[in-house]
């Protein structure tokens, strides 16, 4: 794997998430009935950051939960035909809520689909929206993000790497050649 370049640094990630937080509140006409659900691993700290930003400019604390699906990293290797769901109890009532599903990278759509299944298994939300830091294209399922931090078209021979302070002690989005 060969490093190509840093696409987003810490400041760019902060600006991007601030814009996404504003878009979420604008599209939903405020924060009423909103729940943020981060896809483990890096979707969780991104969801927490978005909730913090919303609280800063709206003065409302938005609940944050997480969904744990074993990461089916089909951008790295083929582990299984379907992502494996673990611990599908979200610990929060989603019935009648606007669930904003949050992840770091949207690629084939399979991880998002598995997370949507897990959310629906916990109750019927009013709606589910998808927010991602990076959309790299190459969808295999008809899934599209409602909120995209950065569109980064890639080839199948490239990989997007997201590092976050909470998980990696650094904030950056980089691209690598496989």
């Amino acid at each position: 794997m060969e490093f190509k370049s840093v696409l987003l640094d810490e400041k760019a990630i902060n600006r991007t998430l601030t814009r996404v937080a504003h878009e979420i509140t604008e599209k939903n006409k405020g924060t009423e009935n909103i729940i943020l659900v981060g896809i483990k691993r890096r979707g969780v700290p991104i969801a927490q950051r978005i909730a913090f930003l919303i609280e800063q400019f709206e003065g409302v604390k938005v609940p944050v939960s997480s969904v744990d699906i074993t990461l089916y990293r089909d951008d790295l290797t083929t582990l299984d035909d379907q992502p494996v769901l673990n611990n599908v109890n979200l610990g929060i009532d989603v019935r009648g809520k606007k669930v904003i599903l949050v992840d770091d990278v949207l690629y084939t759509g399979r991880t998002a689909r598995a997370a949507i299944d897990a959310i629906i298994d916990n109750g019927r939300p009013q709606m589910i929206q998808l927010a991602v830091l990076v959309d790299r294209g190459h969808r295999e399922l008809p899934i599209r993000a409602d909120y995209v931090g950065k569109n980064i078209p890639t080839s199948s021979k490239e990989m997007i790497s997201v590092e976050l302070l909470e998980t990696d002690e650094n904030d950056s989005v980089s691209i690598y050649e496989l």
Side-chain angles (χ1 to χ4, degrees):
M1 191 164 51
E2 180 182 330
F3 175 78
K4 285 180 81 173
S5 67
V6 173
L7 304 171
L8 298 172
D9 61 10
E10 181 179 359
K11 286 183 180 179
I13 289 172
N14 289 336
R15 281 192 305 272
T16 299
L17 293 180
T18 299
R19 179 178 42 78
V20 168
H22 280 288
E23 289 175 2
I24 289 169
T25 56
E26 288 171 14
K27 184 174 182 176
N28 291 288
K29 297 176 178 54
T31 59
E32 187 175 337
N33 279 335
I34 288 179
I35 299 171
L36 296 171
V37 177
I39 298 175
K40 286 186 177 176
R41 197 164 97 131
R42 288 176 184 84
V44 176
I46 293 171
Q48 291 166 337
R49 289 185 192 191
I50 291 170
F52 175 79
L53 291 164
I54 290 171
E55 185 175 5
Q56 295 301 302
F57 56 78
E58 291 290 317
V60 176
K61 194 171 186 106
V62 175
V64 178
S65 184
S66 64
V67 61
D68 182 7
I69 66 168
T70 298
L71 291 179
Y72 175 69
R73 296 297 305 263
D74 51 8
D75 56 335
L76 298 176
T77 184
T78 302
L79 300 176
D80 197 350
D81 287 338
Q82 298 295 322
V84 178
L85 297 173
N86 291 323
N87 187 19
V88 293
N89 182 358
L90 301 177
I92 195 165
D93 187 7
V94 298
R95 291 174 295 182
K97 304 286 192 218
K98 296 176 185 176
V99 174
I100 315 297
L101 184 61
V102 181
D103 203 6
D104 58 347
V105 178
L106 179 57
Y107 183 35
T108 63
R110 294 181 186 284
T111 298
R113 188 215 38 93
I116 290 167
D117 287 348
I119 290 167
I120 291 171
D121 283 347
N122 279 265
R124 184 167 183 215
Q126 178 183 342
M127 68 174 58
I128 299 174
Q129 299 171 357
L130 178 60
V132 296
L133 180 60
V134 174
D135 184 344
R136 64 171 288 193
H138 303 281
R139 221 71 76 240
E140 295 175 1
L141 298 172
I143 290 179
R144 141 191 93 67
D146 299 277
Y147 312 100
V148 177
K150 181 106 173 137
N151 280 298
I152 302 174
T154 62
S155 80
S156 58
K157 294 182 169 84
E158 293 174 315
M159 184 187 87
I160 299 292
S161 173
V162 175
E163 293 185 353
L164 300 172
L165 285 170
E166 297 88 342
T167 57
D168 309 292
E169 301 176 6
N170 177 45
D171 269 352
S172 69
V173 175
S174 302
I175 189 164
Y176 290 85
E177 189 78 33
L178 297 176

